[in-house]
Amino acid sequence: MDQPLFVPQRMEIVSVTDEVDSHDILTFELRPLDGEIAPYLPGQFAELSVFGVGEATFGYASSPHETETVRFSVKRMGALTQELHRLGVGATVGLRGPLGNPFDLARFEGRDLIVVGGGYAFTTLRSLIAYLLTDAQRPKVGHISLFYGVRSPGLFLYKEELARWEKAENFSLHLTVDAADENWKGPVMVVPALVEKVAPDTRNAVAVICGPPPMIKYTLPVLEKLDLKPEEVFISMEMKMKCGVGLCGRCNLGPKFVCKDGPIFTLKELRELTDVY
Ligand SMILES: Cc1cc2nc3c(=O)[nH]c(=O)nc-3n(C[C@H](O)[C@H](O)[C@H](O)COP(=O)(O)OP(=O)(O)OC[C@H]3O[C@@H](n4cnc5c(N)ncnc54)[C@H](O)[C@@H]3O)c2cc1C
Ligand code: FES
């Protein structure tokens, strides 16, 4: 039976991973207490609830091929996330989802991928890349170039996985930081500058961007300079949300709702909705 729209599914926290040196991003692995995991695809999000506190929006960090549990990486911000961070293994939370549209993977088929991410929004990109690297999906896309930037080296999410991806075939990993420490040997610059410097081959490419609004804003002109067309650039938008299903009007972008029509839009679609980009 389908889960009713506004009734959270009860989930048990089965593991908690402290991801970064600042200890303010935890990855929660959740297993359903009733029923099954509702099928989802990379790019979609869910509303997680702590009973008696409220709900907030989080992109799936797990990949659909991980069938027993789902994972969300949560940065401590306000009321909900502070309370979530206090909960440990064995606690029960609520989940409404999946919500929103996934990446249109059919449009990535046969294409190289330029993936650009920053900050905690990288959670959604982790889901996408982990899924595309499965045996079933990998042959469908060409070369993957991943650009990922954070403020300092200790703030990279999923460090062990990044180390594995670095060795993957047909995959280039480009990490950058705003400020280096004594062990950092890589570039020290913002993500858009790194994309410009590396100048990936765009002849058969599509681009995916997920990150803080300034990163998106300054990456777009770089991609356009590299000759990517607005319909070939896919952007995951983040807006303050409430209902997550297009009913409350909290997340509108012109006539569209980011929660229901998005959060993934092409640059072409965004330009028809707003003059910000
Ligand atoms: C589609 C989508 C996916 C998201 N995925 C993740 C994720 O994977 N991991 C994660 O940690 N967070 C994610 N977020 C952000 C998360 O929903 C907010 O940080 C949420 O408000 C935290 O709830 P809170 O009650 O703890 O904080 P609140 O009390 O709601 O807010 C704390 C502070 O964050 C600001 N804020 C809230 N939401 C946003 C937003 N969307 N953009 C900018 N500022 C905001 C508020 O104005 C306030 O200053 C996502 C948001 C969206 C819309
Ligand atoms: S969050 Fe309610 S309409 Fe989008």
Side-chain angles (χ1 to χ4, degrees), residues 136-199:
Q137 299 301 320
R138 190 64 190 96
K140 296 183 184 170
V141 294
H143 188 88
I144 301 175
S145 305
L146 172 60
F147 295 84
Y148 175 25
V150 292
R151 274 180 287 121
S152 57
L155 299 182
F156 284 111
L157 287 166
Y158 320 128
K159 293 178 191 66
E160 283 174 19
E161 222 161 9
L162 291 175
R164 278 206 304 279
W165 294 350
E166 192 165 22
K167 298 190 195 104
E169 262 178 51
N170 219 3
F171 193 104
S172 318
L173 179 65
H174 305 279
L175 302 180
T176 184
V177 297
D178 297 345
D181 62 16
E182 62 281 6
N183 298 318
W184 181 252
K185 306 270 184 297
V188 181
M189 62 183 78
V190 292
V191 183
L194 183 62
V195 179
E196 187 162 25
K197 183 162 179 256
V198 172

Side-chain angles (χ1 to χ4, degrees), residues 8-268:
Q9 184 178 18
R10 293 185 323 130
M11 309 290 283
E12 181 187 7
I13 300 176
V14 294
S15 76
V16 181
T17 307
D18 187 359
E19 294 282 357
V20 292
D21 285 359
S22 50
H23 307 294
D24 60 352
I25 303 186
L26 300 180
T27 296
F28 294 89
E29 185 183 12
L30 309 177
R31 188 162 46 214
L33 282 169
D34 345 278
E36 313 245 299
I37 291 171
Y40 66 96
L41 282 170
Q44 290 189 286
F45 64 88
E47 294 290 332
L48 290 188
S49 48
V50 175
F51 303 113
V53 180
E55 283 189 321
T57 317
F58 303 99
Y60 284 84
S62 48
S63 153
H65 77 281
E66 300 159 23
T67 50
E68 299 292 310
T69 56
V70 285
R71 274 186 288 158
F72 297 89
S73 298
V74 175
K75 184 173 166 72
R76 194 171 55 237
M77 296 288 276
L80 187 280
T81 49
Q82 277 173 33
E83 198 51 39
L84 199 51
H85 274 226
R86 273 196 273 273
L87 298 180
V89 170
T92 302
V93 296
L95 181 153
R96 283 197 299 123
L99 304 169
N101 66 353
F103 289 108
D104 187 351
L105 298 175
R107 291 176 70 183
F108 297 176
E109 281 195 21
R111 312 292 297 271
D112 295 335
L113 241 65
I114 298 167
V115 182
V116 185
Y120 64 67
F122 191 72
T123 57
T124 294
L125 296 180
R126 188 268 158 194
S127 175
L128 176 68
I129 290 168
Y131 187 57
L132 291 177
L133 291 182
T134 58
D135 290 345
Q137 299 301 320
R138 190 64 190 96
K140 296 183 184 170
V141 294
H143 188 88
I144 301 175
S145 305
L146 172 60
F147 295 84
Y148 175 25
V150 292
R151 274 180 287 121
S152 57
L155 299 182
F156 284 111
L157 287 166
Y158 320 128
K159 293 178 191 66
E160 283 174 19
E161 222 161 9
L162 291 175
R164 278 206 304 279
W165 294 350
E166 192 165 22
K167 298 190 195 104
E169 262 178 51
N170 219 3
F171 193 104
S172 318
L173 179 65
H174 305 279
L175 302 180
T176 184
V177 297
D178 297 345
D181 62 16
E182 62 281 6
N183 298 318
W184 181 252
K185 306 270 184 297
V188 181
M189 62 183 78
V190 292
V191 183
L194 183 62
V195 179
E196 187 162 25
K197 183 162 179 256
V198 172
D201 187 346
T202 58
R203 280 170 299 179
N204 182 36
V206 296
V208 173
I209 315 180
C210 197
M215 191 208 82
I216 296 177
K217 185 167 177 229
Y218 292 108
T219 301
L220 290 175
V222 175
L223 295 178
E224 288 201 284
K225 230 163 85 183
L226 292 171
D227 279 340
L228 276 162
K229 296 188 187 66
E231 58 273 26
E232 292 170 331
V233 177
F234 297 81
I235 303 168
S236 177
M237 297 291 291
E238 264 188 30
M239 272 188 136
K240 188 83 180 150
M241 292 179 185
K242 193 78 187 163
C243 70
V245 292
L247 291 175
C248 74
R250 185 75 170 263
C251 68
N252 72 299
L253 203 56
K256 302 270 186 185
F257 295 110
V258 174
C259 66
K260 186 163 142 285
D261 304 302
I264 318 292
F265 294 92
T266 63
L267 177 57
K268 182 170 187 286

